[in-house]
Amino acid sequence: MKDGQVVKGIQFKNHEIVGDIIDLASRYNYEGADELVFYDITASPDRRSVDRKWINLVAKEINIPFCVAGGIKTIADAEEVLNYGADKISINTPALKNPDLIEQLAKRFGSQCIVVGIDSFAIKKDYKVHLYTGDPDQSKESNKTTNSWINEVQDRGAGEIVLNCMNQDGVRKGYDIDQLREMRNLCKVPLIASGGAGKMSDFYDVFNQADVSGSLAASVFHKKIIDILDLKKYLQQKQIEVRL
Amino acid sequence: MPKNTIAIVNAGGSNISSLTFALDRLKANYTTTNQIAQIEDSSHVILPGVGAAYDAMGKLKKSNLIEVVKNLKQPTLGICLGMQLLLEYSMENNVNCLSIIEGGCKAFTQQDKYPVPHMGWNNVKFNKISPLTEGLKSEDYFYFVHSYYVPISDSAIGITDYSESFTSIIQKDNFYGTQFHPEKSSDQGSKLLRTFINL
């Protein structure tokens, strides 16, 4: 999401516009997506919060849960997003800047609606958390390893973790199975795989080999490379439990 | 109150926009209220569930709604916490609930493969025939978010497996409850809501 449009980049750069928010949300709702996630990628680097009017329009349109991410820095930000009709909020950079925020949000709204997004960059098997990833000029490494941050956010009350493997983002070469499998073992809460889906077998592999609770993808759906219903039928044939 | 108006009981400013949007999509008439007369005169009542049992019961009590809800004769649907309130008690802060349906509500215990809260899509097996589930397919998926559950009893008409098997749809006379959120459960959820408002 950037300026009211849905955009998608490659490894967090060179974003192109892929469609109007409401049209896309209702298409995915209709095609059988189990949940939608909206990232306002410009929110944190611009030091501003999300423009939230569109959340209400999405909530009126779709009948599946959805999560909003981007620049939620305070209880008041979160409350506004949830009041507009989002089911969950996802925090990333603000959680790294102020880890207490996770506890505060979990205590106020319940862990079930607090998702922590983690952007993890791999250098061989060394996984580091990055922040401000919405803007290529500001994106930088934090001082945390992905492993330690995954443990910490759960201790602080995160109800779900979306792990975005940055090396894989937008390149459609498959999920980072090794990393996801390693992190799955640290997770007591649902772990959602993100980054790298390119073909249907990538989804099968990530469920089958990394045992993740869910998989998140953008490019392949935005560009109509994969149809959600076809994907779910394929996964069901391969004995992966899906809602059809 | 016009006929065929649904009263959504909201005793304390909880966020119920997902529910009202779902009713809008069904073109239903509804009003959000804590007024006794409006609730009694409505054709249907929905008891939404947001927050904790203790707070919710406190708010109902403060609005003098406990006896009102217990004595309702029109179709009444409790959603999530709203369903749990229909029982005798909840172990969430050991609170006494409405005692419309026998039994109580227990906490899930955190287990490796079963995080708490139970959150996400899960299927519901219909173990008894009920007007509420007419036209729906057993083992369809619905969307859940909860940390407490109602053990299976004679009132269960839908059952879901998690770390424990629990009651996901309940009915006693004109009182119905769903542990899941029909307003977030895609087409099956919309169908269930439509069935309810046509009861």
Side-chain angles (χ1 to χ4, degrees):
Chain A
M1 308 275 318
K2 199 172 177 178
D3 306 323
Q5 298 280 329
V6 179
V7 296
K8 184 68 191 101
I10 295 174
Q11 291 181 325
F12 295 76
K13 293 172 196 158
N14 303 321
H15 292 96
E16 52 184 276
I17 291 171
V18 293
D20 176 74
I21 304 165
I22 306 302
D23 290 349
L24 210 54
S26 89
R27 184 183 123 206
Y28 292 145
N29 186 47
Y30 178 77
E31 286 180 359
D34 293 313
E35 183 167 335
L36 299 181
V37 184
F38 299 85
Y39 290 93
D40 187 339
I41 53 165
T42 52
S44 265
D46 290 354
R47 303 288 193 276
R48 65 170 176 85
S49 202
V50 279
D51 170 16
R52 299 181 171 115
K53 287 190 292 279
W54 58 272
I55 299 173
N56 210 242
L57 299 176
V58 170
K60 285 179 182 174
E61 183 70 25
I62 67 173
N63 57 13
I64 55 171
F66 72 100
C67 177
V68 172
I72 296 164
K73 296 195 254 333
T74 62
I75 297 275
D77 292 337
E79 184 151 37
E80 191 187 7
V81 169
L82 294 169
N83 280 341
Y84 267 135
D87 301 281
K88 301 178 184 176
I89 52 164
S90 180
I91 53 172
N92 187 328
T93 301
L96 288 160
K97 304 285 282 182
N98 173 22
D100 286 343
L101 181 63
I102 304 171
E103 267 132 319
Q104 291 163 7
L105 291 170
K107 208 168 169 193
R108 174 73 177 78
F109 304 106
S111 287
Q112 80 285 346
C113 64
I114 311 304
V115 180
V116 175
I118 302 177
D119 293 323
S120 175
F121 194 83
I123 300 166
K124 291 186 180 163
K125 298 269 166 179
D126 197 16
Y127 305 113
K128 277 285 174 61
V129 181
H130 280 234
L131 65 171
Y132 293 121
T133 51
D135 182 346
D137 298 332
Q138 291 198 51
S139 178
K140 62 176 182 186
E141 190 179 298
S142 72
N143 57 1
K144 292 184 194 291
T145 66
T146 305
N147 308 57
S148 68
W149 186 228
I150 281 188
N151 287 326
E152 184 177 346
V153 302
Q154 291 182 90
D155 290 343
R156 288 179 180 274
E160 181 178 317
I161 295 170
V162 174
L163 185 65
N164 190 44
C165 306
M166 293 177 69
N167 311 60
Q168 265 70 23
D169 184 73
V171 296
R172 305 204 294 264
K173 292 267 164 58
Y175 291 96
D176 186 341
I177 303 283
D178 285 347
Q179 180 176 182
L180 286 158
R181 193 194 287 125
E182 182 174 333
M183 301 310 162
R184 177 69 185 90
N185 287 327
L186 303 174
C187 286
K188 296 184 272 302
V189 301
L191 176 70
I192 311 300
S194 168
K199 51 190 188 302
M200 295 216 253
S201 61
D202 295 336
F203 291 87
Y204 172 68
D205 290 343
V206 79
F207 286 118
N208 188 43
Q209 294 176 40
D211 191 32
V212 293
S213 320
S215 61
L216 184 154
S219 302
V220 289
F221 301 139
H222 292 340
K223 297 188 174 173
K224 302 193 179 181
I225 295 165
I226 294 177
D227 177 274
I228 295 175
L229 185 59
D230 291 345
L231 172 62
K232 289 180 128 185
K233 284 182 181 159
Y234 160 86
L235 289 171
Q236 191 179 51
Q237 266 176 13
K238 301 275 250 174
Q239 317 292 324
I240 303 288
E241 190 190 350
V242 290
R243 176 181 72 95
L244 264 175
Chain B
M1 291 281 287
K3 277 190 178 164
N4 293 317
T5 294
I6 302 158
I8 303 173
V9 179
N10 193 3
S14 307
N15 177 18
I16 50 160
S17 54
S18 300
L19 177 62
T20 58
F21 293 153
L23 294 173
D24 286 337
R25 288 191 291 268
L26 295 172
K27 311 228 182 317
N29 284 321
Y30 61 86
T31 182
T32 302
T33 181
N34 65 352
Q35 300 299 308
I36 293 171
Q38 283 194 320
I39 293 166
E40 286 180 337
D41 292 347
S42 65
S43 62
H44 298 73
V45 176
I46 297 180
L47 202 55
V50 190
Y54 181 84
D55 291 339
M57 284 306 295
K59 285 169 179 169
L60 288 176
K61 196 172 172 189
K62 212 173 150 197
S63 300
N64 296 314
L65 290 178
I66 290 184
E67 290 306 313
V68 174
V69 174
K70 284 170 82 161
N71 291 316
L72 290 172
K73 296 286 174 274
Q74 60 271 60
T76 298
L77 175 67
I79 295 175
C80 196
L81 174 69
M83 159 177 147
Q84 299 181 356
L85 296 182
L86 300 176
L87 296 149
E88 291 168 283
Y89 62 91
S90 170
M91 287 172 78
E92 184 178 18
N93 293 77
N94 287 316
V95 59
N96 287 322
C97 297
L98 294 165
S99 297
I100 293 166
I101 301 178
E102 299 76 40
C105 188
K106 293 167 73 169
F108 281 124
T109 41
Q110 176 92 34
Q111 292 175 32
D112 252 6
K113 285 216 148 202
Y114 301 100
V116 181
H118 170 223
M119 175 172 68
W121 296 92
N122 208 336
N123 57 14
V124 175
K125 285 183 209 81
F126 302 156
N127 60 322
K128 277 184 193 164
I129 294 167
S130 161
L132 188 65
T133 53
E134 217 179 284
L136 288 169
K137 220 170 68 236
S138 186
E139 309 219 21
D140 256 347
Y141 283 77
F142 294 88
Y143 188 74
F144 291 84
V145 184
H146 61 128
S147 301
Y148 289 79
Y149 71 96
V150 178
I152 295 165
S153 71
D154 281 352
S155 313
I157 57 173
I159 289 174
T160 296
D161 295 328
Y162 197 54
S163 53
E164 313 281 339
S165 292
F166 64 90
T167 302
S168 41
I169 311 179
I170 204 164
Q171 185 197 346
K172 187 187 174 191
D173 307 325
N174 57 315
F175 289 93
Y176 301 84
T178 64
Q179 182 58 68
F180 51 81
H181 289 271
E183 71 277 21
K184 281 287 162 184
S185 295
S186 193
D187 296 347
Q188 304 76 254
S190 306
K191 257 190 216 167
L192 183 140
L193 280 177
R194 192 186 301 123
T195 304
F196 172 72
I197 63 184
N198 288 325
L199 285 176

